């Protein structure tokens, strides 16, 4: 009763200001708060036929994928090094109209050959295209891992969607470039697999799949590796920040072959505030281990000025924040070599879709597998309540 009496004694202007304050908080939270994924639900898969040819090219090696919301189409980059056909990306139609993905729901509808600055096709073994990200300018950025063995540098280039020709080449910082002695730069086939652009088209991000040589060891059984996330400003086309991303240590299972690979093959930006989904992929000796994480740059240290993590006390560096969202081994699906992911369209129930794609390595024992998921995004109202009430929903 005392509290109610005090309320009644407040100036009347307070009763008008309170709703304005609450609405202001809500809208500021809506505009500035990072996207939070509260869950991921598997909604189906499709597999392209083995040995599929489209427009005289073998469809395979799909290592990255990006979504064109205006056309409801996807662009998937092949990592064929112009050996089986010229370097290229495919246009795919993926049917999620009923809120799920069924076999037969993925169809190639186009293929675009990549052309270098001279308007020529990339010669064999001069590129290893792995990541792809769509802009609002009817272009795509594509990343290549290069070839350390031949001292071919990695690249990040912008290509026209209509002609496939290079428009822009982003500068690669020297610390990422391989050297003659094998003591510096990217490791072969463990470089720029990932590529993503923020929704406002202002920032582009890529990451090394494993540590640079001067940053530490590559991933080993039960041992993680130190990847670098590289941030570009697309207003200036210059690199501006780098962040430390630590992969998860993976235990191999029944590894009769002795082969092991683990790393960070892709990222997708969720918002303009530094929130991502990351994909970690490992070959464990018996099948694949695939993990999806929510990643945040908030509070992470910028390591752009550090040329070698081995020359500093890396324990003092704050890496990006990670939260495990899904271990795909818990799903009732036989996993292949998943390497790419992208946000897809809004599903009939209003939730956002997520698409993953596998690289079949042009191997007859593997598949081009497309997995579909539903993202459960926490609403702005719930985020506001969490800000105002720290113990909300605990």
């Amino acid at each position: 009763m005392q509290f109610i009496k005090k309320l009644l004694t407040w100036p009347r202007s307070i009763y008008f200001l309170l709703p304005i304050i609450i609405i202001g908080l809500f809208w500021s939270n809506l505009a500035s708060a990072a996207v939070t994924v509260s869950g991921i639900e598997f909604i189906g898969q499709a597999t392209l036929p083995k040995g599929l040819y489209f427009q005289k090219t073998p469809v395979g090696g799909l290592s990255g994928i990006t979504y064109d919301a205006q056309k409801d189409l996807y662009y998937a980059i092949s990592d064929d090094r112009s050996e089986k056909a010229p370097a290229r990306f495919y246009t795919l139609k993926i049917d999620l109209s009923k809120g799920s993905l069924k076999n037969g729901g993925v169809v190639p509808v186009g293929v675009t050959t990549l052309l270098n600055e001279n308007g020529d096709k990339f010669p064999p073994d001069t590129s290893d295209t792995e990541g792809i990200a769509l802009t609002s300018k009817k272009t795509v950025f594509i990343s290549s891992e290069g070839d350390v063995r031949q001292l071919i540098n990695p690249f990040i280039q912008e290509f026209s969607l209509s002609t496939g020709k290079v428009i822009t080449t982003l500068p690669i910082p020297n610390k990422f470039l391989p050297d003659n002695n094998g003591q510096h730069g990217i490791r072969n086939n463990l470089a720029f697999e990932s590529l993503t652009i923020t929704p406002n088209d202002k920032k582009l991000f890529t990451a090394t799949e494993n540590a640079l040589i001067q940053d530490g060891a590559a991933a080993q059984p039960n041992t993680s590796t130190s990847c670098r996330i590289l941030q570009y400003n697309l207003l200036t086309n210059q690199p501006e920040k780098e962040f430390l991303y630590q992969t998860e240590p993976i235990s191999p299972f029944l590894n009769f072959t002795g082969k092991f690979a683990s790393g960070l093959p892709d990222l997708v930006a969720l918002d303009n505030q530094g929130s991502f989904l990351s994909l970690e992929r490992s070959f464990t000796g018996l099948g694949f281990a695939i993990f999806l994480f929510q990643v945040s740059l908030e509070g992470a240290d910028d390591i752009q000025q550090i040329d070698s993590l081995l020359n500093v006390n890396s324990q003092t560096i704050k890496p990006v924040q990670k939260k495990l969202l899904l271990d795909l081994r818990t799903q009732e699906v036989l996993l292949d070599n998943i390497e790419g992911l992208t946000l897809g369209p809004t599903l009939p129930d209003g939730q956002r879709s997520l698409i993953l794609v596998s690289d079949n390595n042009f191997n007859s024992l593997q598949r081009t597998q497309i997995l579909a998921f539903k993202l459960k995004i926490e609403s702005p109202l719930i985020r506001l309540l969490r800000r105002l009430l720290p113990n909300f929903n605990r």
Side-chain angles (χ1 to χ4, degrees):
M1 286 296 295
Q2 292 296 324
F3 178 69
I4 295 175
K5 287 180 180 180
K6 286 182 180 180
L7 280 178
L8 294 174
T9 62
W10 285 1
R12 290 186 178 181
S13 59
I14 294 293
Y15 299 108
F16 295 100
L17 289 174
L18 275 175
I20 295 174
I21 293 170
I22 292 172
I23 291 171
L25 280 171
F26 176 79
W27 285 110
S28 66
N29 184 73
L30 176 64
S32 63
V35 168
T36 300
V37 178
S38 59
I40 301 180
E41 178 185 341
F42 178 60
I43 57 171
Q45 69 169 319
T47 302
L48 294 183
K50 289 190 176 183
L52 175 65
Y53 267 72
F54 181 79
Q55 294 184 6
K56 300 181 180 179
T57 69
V59 180
L62 304 187
S63 298
I65 189 168
T66 189
Y67 178 59
D68 187 336
Q70 289 188 341
K71 299 179 180 178
D72 191 27
L73 294 171
Y74 298 78
Y75 309 115
I77 187 71
S78 173
D79 68 359
D80 180 2
R81 300 186 179 197
S82 295
E83 294 173 334
K84 302 178 184 305
R88 62 202 178 277
F89 67 85
Y90 291 92
T91 302
L92 305 176
K93 186 72 177 176
I94 300 178
D95 185 6
L96 298 175
S97 59
K98 293 190 165 83
S100 63
L101 178 62
K102 306 293 185 184
N103 216 21
V106 180
V107 180
V109 294
V111 59
T112 303
T113 299
L114 301 181
L115 304 176
N116 62 22
E117 295 89 341
N118 299 321
D120 299 323
K121 299 173 184 178
F122 282 82
D125 294 322
T126 60
S127 66
D128 183 12
T129 47
E130 298 280 0
I132 186 169
L134 179 71
T135 76
S136 60
K137 302 180 296 181
K138 297 182 179 178
T139 65
V140 287
F141 276 91
I142 291 173
S143 62
S144 168
E145 292 191 297
D147 191 328
V148 171
R149 295 165 300 185
Q150 300 183 68
L151 290 182
I152 296 174
N153 289 334
F155 68 67
I156 301 170
Q157 295 182 326
E158 184 180 13
F159 294 82
S160 166
L161 266 181
S162 59
T163 67
K165 186 177 179 182
V166 168
I167 299 171
T168 306
T169 298
L170 300 184
I172 305 295
N174 286 335
K175 68 170 70 73
F176 294 91
L177 303 181
D179 67 2
N180 287 309
N181 302 318
Q183 301 298 314
H184 182 274
I186 56 172
R187 287 179 159 89
N188 196 52
N189 208 32
L190 294 173
F192 298 148
E193 284 249 359
S194 57
L195 204 62
T196 187
I197 295 174
T198 53
N200 62 9
D201 257 10
K202 291 182 178 180
K203 308 290 183 185
L204 176 145
F205 294 86
T206 187
T208 57
E209 188 179 358
N210 266 222
L212 299 178
I213 292 173
Q214 70 270 23
D215 280 345
Q220 301 293 331
N222 303 304
T223 304
S224 65
T225 189
S226 301
C227 306
R228 286 190 189 235
I229 295 177
L230 176 54
Q231 173 182 319
Y232 282 86
N233 184 331
L234 288 183
L235 301 179
T236 63
N237 286 339
Q238 294 298 312
E240 59 181 6
K241 292 182 180 180
E242 294 170 24
F243 304 95
L244 174 61
Y245 181 107
Q246 206 73 35
T247 65
E248 297 302 300
I250 300 296
S251 299
F253 180 67
L254 296 179
N255 194 350
F256 302 115
T257 65
K259 293 182 179 180
F260 178 85
S262 185
L264 172 64
D266 213 355
L267 295 165
V268 63
L270 293 172
D271 54 33
N272 302 317
Q273 280 77 44
S275 300
F276 305 85
L277 291 180
S278 72
L279 169 67
E280 293 189 27
R281 178 274 325 269
S282 302
F283 177 71
T284 63
L286 187 65
F288 294 91
I290 311 293
F291 301 93
L292 292 173
F293 294 88
Q294 172 138 14
V295 175
S296 173
L297 301 183
E298 184 178 1
D301 290 331
D302 180 3
I303 59 172
Q304 184 182 36
Q305 302 305 318
I306 302 175
D307 287 330
S308 170
L309 295 178
L310 293 178
N311 290 336
V312 299
N313 182 3
S314 60
Q315 298 300 315
T316 64
I317 297 174
K318 292 181 181 177
V320 301
Q321 302 175 50
K322 291 170 56 183
K323 175 187 175 184
L324 179 63
L325 294 175
L326 184 64
D327 177 350
L328 270 67
R329 294 175 299 182
T330 64
Q331 307 300 297
E332 294 182 0
V333 56
L334 180 63
L335 298 170
D336 211 289
N337 182 32
I338 302 294
E339 287 196 1
L341 80 165
T342 187
L343 298 176
T346 300
L347 297 168
D349 65 358
Q351 299 283 13
R352 192 71 186 268
S353 60
L354 176 72
I355 294 291
L356 276 62
V357 65
S358 75
D359 174 3
N360 70 350
N361 293 309
F362 296 99
N363 185 331
S364 62
L365 299 178
Q366 293 183 256
R367 302 165 294 156
T368 297
Q369 180 183 43
I370 297 91
L371 305 178
F373 297 85
K374 178 192 299 185
L375 291 182
K376 298 176 182 178
I377 306 292
E378 193 171 75
S379 72
L381 177 59
I382 296 299
R383 292 202 302 270
L384 175 61
L385 290 173
R386 291 190 191 282
R387 285 178 62 189
L388 297 176
L389 305 170
N391 293 321
F392 177 75
N393 203 27
R394 283 191 179 178

